[in-house]
Every structure is written in C-alpha cells, then in structure tokens.
Amino acid sequence: MATEQLVDGFGRVHRDLRISVTDRCNFRCTYCMPEEGMDWLDRSELLTFEEIERLARVLVERFGIDSIRITGGEPTVRAHLTVLIEKLAALGTDLAMTTNGSTLRLMANDLCAAGLNRLNVSLDTLQADRFLAMTRRDDLDKVLDGIDAALDAGFDPIKVNAVVMRGENDDELVDFATWARDRGLIMRFIEFMPLDADEAWTNRQVVSLTEIVETIGAVYPLEPVERTSAPASRFRYLDGSGEIGVVASVTQSFCESCDRIRLGAEGQFRNCLFAHDELDLRPALRGGGSDDELADLFRGVVADKWAGHQINKVHFIRPRKSMSQLGG
Ligand code: SAM
Ligand code: SF4
C-alpha cells in the first residue's frame, strides 16, 4: 500500500505512468517521423524488462501510481513484449497500450492473455491512398483487420486515436464517427501538436476541439461528459450510441489537471511531454542504486514540474525529441 503521493509544486498528484519500450517503428507517419526514418537506439541503450519492471514497481508501491500505458515508437516491434506485459500486469494497475495496430491480427490474443486491459489504436484516415501518404506504409487493411482481431480477442472498449490535420484528414471527421459508432469503438481525435520530427508544425494545421465537436455534432448530436484528469474532453451521443473524445492539447490545454509522468525507452524520466529536461535513471539503476534512491529521483523530477506548456505563446520552445521518441 502506497504511503506517499508524487505531488508537484502546484499540488498535482501524479498517478499515470507512460512507458516507451522502444523508439523503433515500422511506420513513418508524416506528423511523427522524418521520411528517412530515425537513427534507432542501440539495443544495449534500452532498458531491460527487469529494469522497467523495477522502476514501475517502485512507482506503484511507493507512490500509488495506478495506471500504466505502454507506448513507443511502436511497442509491438519490441521482441517478447508479452513478457513485459505479464510483469507489469502483476503490479495490479490499469494496464493499457497505444499501438499503430499493424500487428494486432498476430498479437491481440496473446496481449490479452498476458494481462493487457485496454488498447488504443492509432488510425488517421479510412482511405487507403491517404493512409499510404500519411504513414508511408500501404497497411490500411492490416490495421483495420488488426482492430477486428482486437475486438475478437475481447478488448472493450477499444479507442481509436486520429490526429486531425487541416487539409489532410479533416474532411473525414463524420466518416470516422459513423465507422466507429457502427463497431462500438470510441474515437479519440487528437489536435496536431508541435512534436513532429520535421519541425514543420504550424498553428494553421491544427483543427480545434470546437470545430471537431461542431462538425460531428451537426450529424450526430453530442453533449459533454464531466471532465476527469484524463487528457481527452469527452462527449456522448444523445442517441446513446457511445462517445467521442478530443485531446485538445493546443487549443484547450489541460496542464492544470495533468497527472502523467513518462519513462523513455533508454531510462529517461520526464515530468511533461513538452519538458526540455529529463533525468537519466540508468546510472542509478545500473550502478547499484537502492529503491530509496530511485524514489528520491522520482520525487525530485516531479517536484520540478512546470505549470504547463506554452504552445500558443511566442516564447514556446519545442522539446528536442519528437513524438516517436516521447511516446504520446
Ligand atoms: N506507435 C504507436 C502509435 O502510433 O499508436 C505509439 C506511439 S505514437 C508516438 C503515440 C500517439 O502519438 C499516436 O496516437 C500518434 O497518433 C500520436 N502522435 C504522434 N505524433 C503526433 C503529433 N505531432 N501530434 C499529435 N499526436 C501525435
Ligand atoms: Fe510510428 Fe506511432 Fe509515430 Fe506513426 S505515430 S511513426 S506508428 S510511433
């Protein structure tokens, strides 16, 4: 039973841990990775499953972290991922994963059996030619089939994440709503954030929460659901056919209720997606540091958390890492 909470200087209690298990990916989405791909981390740089489990255990047992999300790069390209899932599931928290869905036909049953509770699948278009242009992979059918496989495996609900970009897929909002309602999936629309590897983001490409909700609500009337600490603002269909969410990091930042901390694939601990600093935990982990010392490092990083990102301010400086290295 945790005896302490991870509280920052603004009184925010941290309960949600995001773990990136690799920086590698089999896709190269235009808003996330450069066309030429990245220089992948050397495998010896990556935390081992035992190291990840130890850090997660300290966070759960000492500080009451109650939600863990596995992400990447693409988490399913990490070999033997189900072994890690079994270890993390044994900690007893809610355990979720964000994936591009391309390997779910092969993996969904094993992921479920290993103890994964929830899945988010990223899908930004329902049109094959656009999918190829946006991900640089001709894999739309594979992802759609992967979502079916995840439904068959019993994941419920499945959330589908779509990054909405002006002039690229903003004409598909209603198509996505219709498609998801028909299948019992929950759409999560994400405002495009300045974390693209090419650093080409501009505010003009952002499609706002207001526009997304008005566009879908005009066809399928919606009402707001009361907000929690979760990043998405939620809206339910008045006809009872489920809900949508919008992650409005750009136009309606939710920093004041943020309860997330992040562990990078090579052991970098950060207190915010947009933070400029992160702490390398490997020297403590690999140099014989005790659990008490790790707990002190966690306390220190969280205590230093800022009030929030400044995306819409002139002095905003984006972090050096892009989304594929940060995990979303
Ligand atoms: N590869 C997995 C996937 O695509 O779901 C997990 C990692 S990916 C970086 C996590 C999430 O970040 C995905 O939902 C992706 O769409 C989102 N994402 C990537 N780049 C983004 C950006 N510049 N703005 C907003 N969301 C972004
Ligand atoms: Fe890979 Fe996910 Fe980034 Fe696309 S969004 S390039 S699938 S890490």
Side-chain angles (χ1 to χ4, degrees):
M1 198 50 190
T3 52
E4 190 184 340
Q5 292 182 321
L6 263 184
V7 191
D8 67 15
F10 300 88
R12 292 171 295 198
V13 178
H14 292 74
R15 296 204 178 82
D16 186 350
L17 169 65
R18 313 261 158 139
I19 303 175
S20 170
V21 295
T22 179
D23 66 332
R24 291 173 192 237
C25 189
N26 53 343
F27 286 9
R28 293 194 308 283
C29 302
T30 50
Y31 53 77
C32 181
M33 282 223 190
E35 184 161 11
E36 64 279 12
M38 313 277 290
D39 290 332
W40 306 131
L41 292 172
D42 199 308
R43 282 187 199 280
S44 65
E45 304 286 319
L46 296 180
L47 293 189
T48 65
F49 289 168
E50 288 69 27
E51 289 170 332
I52 294 173
E53 179 196 24
R54 180 173 172 211
L55 294 171
R57 184 175 47 72
V58 172
L59 284 162
V60 170
E61 291 179 356
R62 303 245 175 157
F63 300 113
I65 293 295
D66 60 12
S67 169
I68 297 178
R69 175 171 295 278
I70 299 169
T71 177
E74 171 50 35
T76 61
V77 304
R78 177 105 187 224
H80 313 297
L81 181 68
T82 50
V83 174
L84 176 67
I85 289 174
E86 281 170 11
K87 288 179 185 294
L88 295 177
L91 298 176
T93 69
D94 178 51
L95 184 60
M97 184 172 81
T98 307
T99 171
N100 65 27
S102 60
T103 60
L104 285 177
R105 173 54 66 190
L106 298 172
M107 294 184 69
N109 282 323
D110 291 344
L111 293 169
C112 195
L116 189 70
N117 303 130
R118 294 188 297 114
L119 261 185
N120 282 50
V121 182
S122 301
L123 175 63
D124 308 306
T125 176
L126 295 167
Q127 301 178 16
D129 52 342
R130 278 191 188 172
F131 188 95
L132 173 60
M134 291 175 87
T135 64
R136 303 179 176 113
R137 284 285 297 257
D138 195 9
D139 275 348
L140 175 62
D141 287 346
K142 221 186 232 181
V143 174
L144 294 176
D145 185 47
I147 292 171
D148 286 342
L151 286 167
D152 293 345
F155 285 105
D156 182 28
I158 295 174
K159 293 179 186 157
V160 175
N161 292 0
V163 180
V164 187
M165 285 165 289
R166 177 81 58 212
E168 296 204 36
N169 60 353
D170 52 333
D171 57 346
E172 289 189 64
L173 293 171
V174 173
D175 292 349
F176 261 125
T178 307
W179 172 80
R181 282 162 53 97
D182 287 350
R183 288 163 182 75
L185 303 165
I186 298 179
M187 283 307 305
R188 280 273 182 270
F189 298 101
I190 305 176
E191 290 182 352
F192 181 31
M193 292 180 240
L195 292 171
D196 52 320
D198 293 330
E199 302 195 24
W201 180 93
T202 69
N203 218 311
R204 286 188 300 281
Q205 293 164 286
V206 177
V207 180
S208 69
L209 173 149
T210 306
E211 182 175 335
I212 292 168
V213 172
E214 278 178 7
T215 305
I216 294 174
V219 181
Y220 303 115
L222 290 162
E223 66 178 1
V225 176
E226 199 178 331
R227 221 199 141 93
T228 63
S229 65
S233 301
R234 294 162 55 205
F235 300 84
R236 71 169 74 85
Y237 293 115
L238 291 185
D239 68 2
S241 310
E243 64 171 72
I244 65 166
V246 184
V247 180
S249 312
V250 180
T251 66
Q252 297 186 23
S253 112
F254 40 85
C255 301
E256 72 285 350
S257 62
C258 175
D259 67 350
R260 274 162 295 284
I261 47 178
R262 296 186 150 77
L263 182 62
E266 72 272 61
Q268 261 68 20
F269 184 61
R270 56 169 49 232
N271 57 24
C272 173
L273 198 52
F274 294 91
H276 296 142
D277 298 318
E278 48 187 19
L279 181 76
D280 186 356
L281 297 173
R282 281 173 307 180
L285 261 180
R286 297 180 179 176
S290 65
D291 287 359
D292 284 343
E293 286 168 83
L294 291 172
D296 274 345
L297 296 176
F298 291 138
R299 274 188 208 98
V301 171
V302 172
D304 282 349
K305 183 159 172 164
W306 57 11
H309 67 67
Q310 307 281 322
I311 291 179
N312 293 309
K313 307 278 171 27
V314 279
H315 54 265
F316 172 74
I317 302 171
R318 56 161 285 158
R320 284 183 303 279
K321 289 187 170 176
S322 58
M323 199 63 132
S324 64
Q325 299 161 298
L326 294 169

